């Protein structure tokens, strides 16, 4: 089995979570979303969750040491042995350097999307409370209103998916995360894909890229 250690890079709403989930299903490697890990900590009221909540609700980055601790614990689990796909980390240069110290990365997939589309994509997004599947009220609506196609869980709108917070999150991305494109370009492990079509068209582009890179 080929080992794939991947990072999905992109602005909020670029579809990186959706594509990461496809990769997980197709290649049997875990998707590790630091956003999901943090949301679960908030939901469970853990110490980390209590510290993270305010940052998340205002669209700011949670402090690096907190996220690193969560990520390290997750990467140490057995299912990450043959690879993983990290979505939502690193979000700044310090995090990229931290990550370099704990694992090597084979490929960074950078998804680029037109700015105007981002806001529409995020504010229309609905997430399953139970399994985390992602839907969109216009672009990929569930078969039944408010209900997950996969597990019948309840769909909800993330508290940080409102227009005001979205703008702040995009701003955070522009200032803190975007420099990572150059960081990974210099390491020659970055590939950029433009997302200007449907979700399934993007899925095809990602599959083709992985087949090329990993000789599948
Ligand atoms: P996401 O689900 O990736 O959009 O993340 C939602 C929110 O969680 C972000 O707006 C941040 O507040 C926080 N977050 C997720 N990943 C990170 C990270 N790597 N570093 C700092 N904060 C993060």
């Amino acid at each position: 089995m080929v080992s794939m250690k991947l990072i999905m890079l992109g602005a909020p709403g670029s579809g990186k979570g959706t594509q990461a989930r496809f990769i997980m299903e197709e290649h049997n490697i875990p998707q590790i979303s630091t956003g999901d890990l943090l949301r679960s900590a908030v939901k469970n009221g853990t110490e980390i969750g209590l510290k993270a909540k305010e940052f998340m609700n205002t669209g700011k980055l949670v402090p690096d040491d907190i996220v690193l601790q969560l990520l390290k614990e997750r990467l140490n689990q057995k299912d990450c042995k043959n690879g993983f796909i990290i979505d939502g980390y690193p979000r700044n240069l310090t995090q990229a350097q931290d990550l370099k110290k704990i694992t090597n990365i084979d490929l960074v997939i950078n998804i680029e999307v037109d700015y105007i589309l981002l806001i529409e994509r995020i504010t229309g997004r609905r997430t399953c409370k139970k399994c985390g599947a992602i839907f969109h009220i216009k672009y990929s609506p569930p078969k039944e209103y408010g209900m997950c196609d996969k597990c019948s869980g309840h769909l909800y709108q993330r508290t940080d998916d409102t227009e005001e917070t979205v703008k702040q999150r995009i701003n955070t991305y522009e200032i803190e995360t975007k420099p990572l494109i150059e960081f990974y370009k210099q390491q020659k492990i970055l590939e950029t894909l433009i997302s200007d079509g449907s979700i399934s068209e993007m899925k095809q582009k990602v599959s083709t890229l992985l087949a090329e890179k990993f000789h599948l």
Side-chain angles (χ1 to χ4, degrees):
M1 198 175 133
V2 194
S3 162
M4 281 189 201
K5 295 182 176 174
L6 312 174
I7 290 175
M8 290 307 275
L9 201 62
S14 59
K16 57 183 175 357
T18 301
Q19 296 301 328
R21 287 176 159 268
F22 287 143
I23 297 174
M24 168 178 79
E25 285 160 13
E26 212 168 303
H27 299 283
N28 217 1
I29 49 175
Q31 173 221 13
I32 300 171
S33 152
T34 45
D36 285 349
L37 293 175
L38 286 164
R39 274 186 290 281
S40 145
V42 171
K43 197 171 121 202
N44 295 328
T46 66
E47 202 180 317
I48 284 187
L50 292 175
K51 285 187 195 156
K53 196 174 175 178
E54 195 51 37
F55 295 98
M56 295 175 78
N57 282 341
T58 49
K60 298 199 180 99
L61 293 185
V62 173
D64 297 335
D65 55 335
I66 296 183
V67 191
L68 180 63
Q69 189 188 331
L70 272 180
L71 183 75
K72 261 188 184 163
E73 280 167 15
R74 183 63 189 89
L75 285 177
N76 275 333
Q77 286 173 25
K78 253 204 333 253
D79 63 338
C80 294
K81 225 176 55 198
N82 283 321
F84 46 77
I85 168 143
I86 307 177
D87 141 30
Y89 192 99
R91 287 273 234 283
N92 60 27
L93 278 170
T94 307
Q95 292 186 4
Q97 274 144 2
D98 287 341
L99 183 65
K100 219 165 174 229
K101 288 180 202 146
I102 54 177
T103 183
N104 68 309
I105 294 294
D106 300 312
L107 178 66
V108 178
I109 305 174
N110 174 41
I111 303 188
E112 276 191 8
V113 189
D114 198 89
Y115 181 85
I116 298 163
L117 270 181
L118 289 179
I119 296 187
E120 195 195 4
R121 282 197 188 179
I122 306 189
T123 50
R125 172 160 67 186
R126 298 293 181 269
T127 308
C128 174
K129 218 166 207 156
K130 207 158 133 198
C131 76
I134 302 164
F135 297 85
H136 189 283
I137 50 173
K138 186 164 151 196
Y139 299 119
S140 56
K143 290 195 187 87
E144 217 167 299
Y145 178 81
M147 196 196 268
C148 176
D149 290 354
K150 292 183 180 144
C151 75
S152 301
H154 174 68
L155 302 185
Y156 78 111
Q157 181 174 33
R158 278 170 42 179
T159 51
D160 62 346
D161 275 353
T162 56
E163 192 159 339
E164 195 190 338
T165 315
V166 167
K167 284 186 177 151
Q168 176 57 48
R169 284 162 61 207
I170 292 174
N171 195 32
T172 305
Y173 166 80
E174 291 284 334
I175 295 167
E176 305 204 42
T177 311
K178 225 175 173 182
L180 295 181
I181 294 177
E182 205 42 53
F183 178 85
Y184 287 120
K185 231 184 227 170
Q186 279 175 14
Q187 292 177 41
K188 301 194 170 31
I189 52 171
L190 184 101
E191 288 291 338
T192 293
L193 297 175
I194 310 283
S195 173
D196 54 2
S198 66
I199 293 175
S200 60
E201 277 166 348
M202 194 59 199
K203 184 180 176 192
Q204 192 53 51
K205 285 189 194 179
V206 173
S207 286
T208 307
L209 174 67
L210 290 179
E212 258 172 46
K213 289 283 167 189
F214 294 92
H215 311 290
L216 302 172

